Amino acid sequence: MLRILLVDDHVLFRKGVAALLARRPDMEVIGEASDGLDAITVARELLPDVILMDIHMPRCDGLEATRRIKREVPHVKIVILTVSDDDQNLFEAIKSGAQGYLLKDLEPTKLYDLLESISRGEAPLSGVVAAKILQEFARPNTGSLPATEMIEELTTREKDILQLVVDGKTNKEIAASLSIAENTVKIHLRNILEKLHLQNRIQAAVYAVRQGLVNEPPS
C-alpha cells in the first residue's frame, strides 16, 4: 500500500485527486494539507511514502516545504504536481530534493503509472519536463567536481546504467537491456547516488550529462 499525502491550497483539486486514488487498492490518501506549513506538520506526524506537492500556496510555498520536509524526513518521496512549467520552479524543485515534477494536465492513468514508478525508486517526469532539465543541466558547470574525478569513482557498469537512466529507461528496462536482475539495478543506482553525493536519480541523470559522463539523450 502506497501511503500518500496531498498538498494543495485548492480543496476541489485535492478531493478530485483523492477520489481518483481511492479507486486503486494499492494506494491510500492518508492526509491532506492546504499549504506548506501544514504539509510539514502532517508529514512529520504521518510519515507518508509519497507527497504530491503543489508549488504556489499561501504562508509557505511547495518549494520551501519540500526543502524543510527533506531535511526532517529524508526518506519521504516528494513529487511536485503543479500547473507551473516555469523553468526556475522546475530546477529549484529538483535541487530541493523533489523526486519528480508533474503537470496537472496529465491523464489519471498516467498519474497511476508514475506513482507506481516512484514506489519502485524511479523518477516520474513527463517528456517535456525531462527535456528541459537535461537541456539546462547539460551546460558546463565549472563549480562542480571535475569530470575526471567522477569517472575514476564510477565503474563501467555504473556508467552504463547512468546512460540508460538519462535515456529515460525504467529499472525494468535497464535490467532487460543489461541482462541483469532489477534488484541489481537498484543496488547500482544506490551506489551511484552515494558516490556522487546526490539525492535521487533525476539529479544523477542531469549531473552525468553536465559532467560528460554519458551521452545526451536523443531529442
Side-chain angles (χ1 to χ4, degrees):
M1 181 70 71
L2 193 65
R3 302 167 66 254
I4 301 168
L5 170 62
L6 302 179
V7 184
D8 198 292
D9 59 331
H10 292 94
V11 177
L12 188 61
F13 179 79
R14 289 203 316 269
K15 298 304 180 184
V17 174
L20 287 173
L21 296 178
R23 301 176 184 177
R24 293 291 300 255
D26 56 342
M27 299 177 186
E28 178 187 11
V29 175
I30 61 169
E32 299 180 21
S34 59
D35 60 50
L37 290 182
D38 286 342
I40 295 166
T41 300
V42 177
R44 188 185 298 130
E45 294 175 352
L46 300 182
L47 300 177
D49 300 314
V50 176
I51 299 175
L52 294 180
M53 179 83 73
D54 191 18
I55 289 181
H56 301 296
M57 296 180 292
R59 297 205 300 165
C60 175
D61 67 25
L63 299 177
E64 177 60 24
T66 295
R67 284 189 285 269
R68 293 174 61 178
I69 290 172
K70 293 300 290 185
R71 284 198 299 267
E72 289 194 35
V73 198
H75 73 276
V76 174
K77 298 178 176 66
I78 299 178
V79 177
I80 302 298
L81 183 58
T82 179
V83 296
S84 173
D85 62 354
D86 178 77
D87 288 359
Q88 189 59 39
N89 287 334
L90 167 61
F91 303 139
E92 283 303 316
I94 300 305
K95 292 174 184 175
S96 298
Q99 269 80 5
Y101 193 104
L102 306 175
L103 300 181
K104 288 182 177 179
D105 60 358
L106 80 170
E107 293 291 331
T109 53
K110 188 64 174 177
L111 177 61
Y112 299 148
D113 291 344
L114 293 170
L115 285 172
E116 287 177 357
S117 74
I118 200 170
S119 71
R120 298 191 296 266
E122 300 173 26
L125 286 175
S126 66
V128 173
V129 171
K132 284 188 175 186
I133 290 177
L134 291 172
Q135 181 180 16
E136 171 66 17
F137 284 89
R139 299 171 184 171
N141 180 12
T142 56
S144 298
L145 289 174
T148 52
E149 291 186 27
M150 305 313 299
I151 291 171
E152 290 174 0
E153 288 191 10
L154 297 179
T155 66
T156 299
R157 176 64 84 192
E158 288 167 346
K159 284 186 281 186
D160 289 342
I161 288 176
L162 259 184
Q163 179 68 67
L164 292 170
V165 170
V166 170
D167 290 342
K169 304 297 184 184
T170 64
N171 286 0
K172 184 176 182 179
E173 291 169 334
I174 293 173
S177 178
L178 299 178
S179 300
I180 59 178
E182 189 171 347
N183 191 55
T184 302
V185 175
K186 294 179 181 179
I187 293 171
H188 280 305
L189 285 171
R190 184 174 66 243
N191 292 339
I192 289 168
L193 294 180
E194 289 178 355
K195 287 183 177 182
L196 301 183
H197 306 291
L198 299 173
Q199 299 181 52
N200 57 61
R201 61 192 283 148
I202 300 178
Q203 293 181 350
V206 297
Y207 198 95
V209 172
R210 170 181 275 180
Q211 294 292 345
L213 301 180
V214 298
N215 298 319
E216 293 187 45
S219 301

